[in-house]
Amino acid sequence: MELKTYQDYNAMSSAAADMIIDCVRKKPQALLCFATGDTPRLTYQILAENSKRDKIDFSKCFMIGLDEWLGISPDNTGTCHHFLHTWLLQPLSIDPSQIHLFDGLTPNEEEECERMNNLITKKGPIDFMVVGVGMNGHIGFNEPGTDIESLAHVAILDHTTRTVGKKYFRDDVQINRGITLGLKQVMQAETLLMIANGKKKAPVIKQAVSEKISNSFPASLIQRHSNAILMTDNEAASELEILQT
Ligand code: PGA
């Protein structure tokens, strides 16, 4: 794992966007997986702007979503579906045939997981995966204790995820369960980019990079990935002893 720290959220987001563009330049038919959340929003905005400016061709890429809240309509502005369409897929004019996101209203959750697993088997491995990190160390909805060998699955969200997750929703919705790619799929991504910013993420980043690798804190698995980059701003790196640039 390589750690890269940046002056601020802007600089980190800009570097993250550059990495994604670089991947697509090298492999125009890349399979890309994107997280949602407050952290990657600016990365995606910069990515869309720079791609337009530099005429980066995303038309052959295939985009998949990392996770989704279960039981909530995709029209709801708090969903991953809504987020990815708003900040990434529409701005980049990605054709719907090149997108597969988890359906949070699926009547058959097992089949929904199988659909994603089969797609990754067919089109994979995932060339580039962008993830954030939760306050409990989760990656996607791989909550503490998730099996390292897990593929796409339904997750019972823990207390921290349910509490923090309220920030994405305008209404008082029930967010008890999610659907997510599994830790095996995260670890099999050719390039894994984890981004984190802000003071509140400092203890999480400290735990992710300097403590024992364990699925009780899924973000720590990044230490074991052979091609992972952890990008943070200075605030999120502030509890680390050695700052690298
Ligand atoms: P955030 O969420 O980007 O809104 O902090 C990160 C996560 O829970 O993975």
Side-chain angles (χ1 to χ4, degrees):
M1 182 208 78
E2 188 185 357
L3 170 67
K4 288 173 176 273
T5 59
Y6 298 86
Q7 188 65 28
D8 54 25
Y9 179 51
N10 270 297
M12 180 198 83
S13 305
S14 190
D18 283 350
M19 264 200 89
I20 301 166
I21 288 177
D22 203 43
C23 167
V24 174
R25 274 206 172 107
K26 287 189 183 127
K27 187 171 181 187
Q29 74 285 16
L31 176 60
L32 307 172
C33 175
F34 294 102
T36 60
D38 289 338
T39 313
R41 187 180 291 122
L42 185 58
T43 296
Y44 299 160
Q45 271 179 277
I46 296 172
L47 175 66
E49 280 165 24
N50 292 358
S51 299
K52 213 168 266 178
R53 185 194 65 203
D54 299 340
K55 300 195 173 30
I56 308 298
D57 182 11
F58 279 83
S59 64
K60 295 190 194 71
C61 293
F62 199 93
M63 318 283 219
I64 60 176
L66 175 63
D67 54 5
E68 186 56 281
W69 308 96
L70 274 174
I72 302 175
S73 162
D75 300 338
N76 189 310
T77 54
T79 59
C80 303
H81 191 102
H82 194 278
F83 178 101
L84 286 174
H85 276 279
T86 305
W87 298 104
L88 189 74
L89 303 171
Q90 278 165 17
L92 287 174
S93 309
I94 307 296
D95 191 90
S97 66
Q98 300 292 102
I99 302 169
H100 185 76
L101 307 180
F102 282 116
D103 175 5
L105 290 182
T106 178
N108 190 329
E109 294 162 356
E110 219 167 287
E111 269 178 23
E112 187 61 17
C113 292
E114 274 314 297
R115 247 196 301 280
M116 187 60 99
N117 290 337
N118 292 339
L119 189 146
I120 294 172
T121 305
K122 195 167 142 230
K123 295 188 185 290
I126 295 168
D127 291 290
F128 198 103
M129 182 184 269
V130 182
V131 300
V133 53
M135 294 304 294
N136 60 356
H138 73 196
I139 300 177
F141 285 139
N142 290 285
E143 300 286 49
T146 302
D147 186 349
I148 294 179
E149 292 298 314
S150 60
L151 297 176
H153 62 279
V154 169
I156 307 297
L157 303 178
D158 86 359
H159 180 72
T160 306
T161 301
R162 283 186 276 122
T163 309
V164 174
K166 285 190 182 133
K167 69 179 174 171
Y168 306 120
F169 295 94
R170 289 190 194 134
D171 348 303
D172 193 19
V173 291
Q174 291 295 315
I175 43 172
N176 297 323
R177 298 188 315 138
I179 186 165
T180 184
L181 292 191
L183 286 175
K184 186 166 188 175
Q185 290 155 324
V186 173
M187 294 303 285
Q188 282 179 343
E190 293 282 321
T191 300
L192 177 64
L193 173 63
M194 180 181 279
I195 49 178
N197 68 288
K199 193 92 192 131
K200 68 169 190 279
K201 290 283 168 73
V204 177
I205 292 305
K206 182 177 181 203
Q207 199 170 344
V209 305
S210 49
E211 286 181 28
K212 203 174 111 244
I213 301 172
S214 158
N215 67 340
S216 61
F217 200 77
S220 65
L221 294 170
I222 192 174
Q223 297 176 49
R224 196 190 276 166
H225 193 289
S226 56
N227 191 25
I229 301 99
L230 171 60
M231 286 187 180
T232 75
D233 66 353
N234 279 345
E235 286 188 349
S238 59
E239 290 188 22
L240 300 180
E241 270 152 36
I242 305 161
L243 275 187
Q244 300 174 26
T245 47

